[in-house]
């Protein structure tokens, strides 16, 4: 039995076999599908960088055997943008949670998508700040009970796919932890895109979210996803409902537009060319 090895073990950082995620948490499902996507695409692990922020999902960067960076809270995207601008040939992926990406880091998301920087963002949306005790966050559904909303949440949650599409993401998809094969296929598409790609995975948080909504077992949340998910393609993202009774999932955006680092490099080259013609290129430091 000692000779047996999991087919994805080659992608796991040595010495990181012990998992910190709660039993039933879906972060492992997303990590598994990310590694399967890399495996099926045959990507060079030396050309992939994974960046994450603070939170349960942010631990993913520590498990994958690629160059990785665990950023401070809300700062995963600026770190990823910096890496992409410096090394545009790399496939830079952000894996983080809803609180990190859309509360503390919300402004970074807007402008990276607006600029169409060619990074890929996978958000595991578990509706709360799970690591810090189950506080309400920007995606907490109205009426949900959490430690900071003991009488029910009165705030409207962000619709992440609508937001991503509105600010210019070139690929936008939403799936739940139930749709494992579709998560993998979307990750493969995102990795192949030049521009800013965004995937929301509606996740399971049995300890901090599920048990306070009368879904104490991981299977309870999984059955909620299975029963209420509606797959829709080419739908206006503004109509991608997310309610307790209906979760619209699917691919909402798949377009092309000029990518930021290519535009930047093109501009630099045109400036150098002009200065060379003027005999001033020796004055420029690149």
């Amino acid at each position: 039995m000692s000779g047996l090895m999991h087919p994805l073990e080659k992608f796991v950082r040595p010495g990181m076999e012990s998992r910190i995620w709660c039993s039933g948490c879906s972060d492992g499902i997303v990590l598994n599908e990310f590694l399967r996507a890399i495996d099926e695409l045959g990507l060079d692990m030396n050309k992939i960088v994974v960046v994450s922020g603070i939170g349960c999902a942010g631990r993913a960067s520590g498990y994958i055997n690629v160059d990785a960076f665990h950023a401070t809270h809300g700062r995963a995207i600026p770190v990823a943008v910096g890496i992409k601008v410096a090394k545009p040939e790399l496939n830079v992926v952000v894996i983080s949670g809803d609180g990190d990406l859309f509360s503390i880091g919300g402004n970074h998301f807007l402008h990276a998508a607006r600029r169409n920087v060619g990074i890929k963002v996978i958000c595991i949306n578990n509706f709360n700040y799970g690591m810090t005790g189950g506080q309400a966050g920007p995606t907490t559904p109205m009426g949900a009970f959490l430690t900071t909303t003991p009488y029910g949440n009165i705030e409207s949650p962000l619709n992440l796919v609508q937001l991503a599409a509105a600010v210019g993401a070139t690929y936008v998809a939403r799936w739940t932890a139930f749709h494992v094969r579709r998560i993998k296929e979307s990750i493969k598409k995102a990795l192949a895109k030049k521009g800013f790609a965004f995937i929301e995975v509606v996740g399971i948080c049995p300890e901090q979210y599920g048990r306070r909504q009368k879904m104490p077992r991981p299977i309870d949340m999984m059955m909620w996803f299975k029963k209420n998910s509606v797959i829709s393609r080419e739908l206006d993202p503004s109509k991608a409902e997310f309610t307790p009774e209906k979760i619209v999932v699917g691919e909402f955006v798949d377009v092309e537009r000029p990518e930021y680092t290519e535009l930047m490099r093109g501009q630099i080259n045109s400036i150098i060319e002009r200065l060379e013609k003027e005999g001033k290129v020796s004055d420029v430091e690149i």
Side-chain angles (χ1 to χ4, degrees), residues 164-282:
V167 294
T170 59
Y171 181 81
V172 178
R174 172 196 286 155
W175 301 107
T176 76
F178 176 75
H179 303 92
V180 288
R181 187 178 62 81
R182 295 179 186 276
I183 293 171
K184 180 189 68 180
E185 295 303 319
S186 275
I187 292 173
K188 289 165 68 175
K189 284 188 177 181
L191 289 170
K193 293 291 288 187
K194 270 190 175 182
F196 188 96
F198 173 69
I199 301 170
E200 175 189 5
V201 180
V202 180
I204 298 170
C205 179
E207 287 297 321
Q208 300 291 9
Y209 186 82
R211 66 187 175 91
R212 293 188 171 96
Q213 320 310 317
K214 299 182 180 179
M215 294 183 286
R217 303 173 302 165
I219 191 64
D220 297 329
M221 291 194 72
M222 192 66 92
M223 293 305 294
W224 172 41
F225 297 157
K226 178 183 178 183
K227 180 181 178 182
N228 294 287
S229 294
V230 177
I231 298 176
S232 182
R233 295 182 177 85
E234 299 179 1
L235 181 73
D236 178 353
S238 67
K239 298 177 182 176
E241 292 179 57
F242 195 119
T243 66
E245 295 78 27
K246 186 176 182 181
I247 305 170
V248 178
V249 297
E251 294 179 330
F252 303 102
V253 177
D254 190 359
V255 298
E256 300 291 345
R257 65 186 183 92
E259 195 272 333
Y260 178 79
T261 62
E262 289 188 348
L263 291 173
M264 187 189 71
R265 298 274 165 180
Q267 187 177 58
I268 291 172
N269 290 335
S270 68
I271 293 170
I272 292 173
E273 185 178 346
R274 177 171 59 80
L275 292 175
E276 284 178 338
K277 289 179 181 177
E278 295 173 357
K280 299 177 181 177
V281 72
S282 60

Side-chain angles (χ1 to χ4, degrees), residues 116-189:
N116 196 28
V117 183
I119 63 173
K120 327 303 173 193
V121 178
I122 301 171
C123 174
I124 305 173
N125 176 10
N126 67 358
F127 315 112
N128 77 110
Y129 292 98
M131 179 175 280
T132 55
Q135 297 88 353
T139 61
T140 302
M142 286 193 76
F145 298 98
L146 287 164
T147 54
T148 53
T149 58
Y151 303 105
N153 183 34
I154 58 172
E155 299 179 5
S156 296
L158 285 174
N159 184 329
L160 302 187
V161 294
Q162 180 183 4
L163 176 65
V167 294
T170 59
Y171 181 81
V172 178
R174 172 196 286 155
W175 301 107
T176 76
F178 176 75
H179 303 92
V180 288
R181 187 178 62 81
R182 295 179 186 276
I183 293 171
K184 180 189 68 180
E185 295 303 319
S186 275
I187 292 173
K188 289 165 68 175
K189 284 188 177 181

Side-chain angles (χ1 to χ4, degrees), residues 1-24:
M1 296 296 288
S2 61
L4 293 177
M5 189 176 81
H6 191 281
L8 298 179
E9 189 173 330
K10 58 189 176 184
F11 299 116
V12 178
R13 191 183 303 276
M16 293 295 289
E17 286 77 11
S18 298
R19 308 288 184 252
I20 68 162
W21 291 320
C22 302
S23 179

Side-chain angles (χ1 to χ4, degrees), residues 53-65:
I54 301 301
C56 302
R59 304 301 299 181
S61 61
Y63 291 136
I64 307 170
N65 195 18

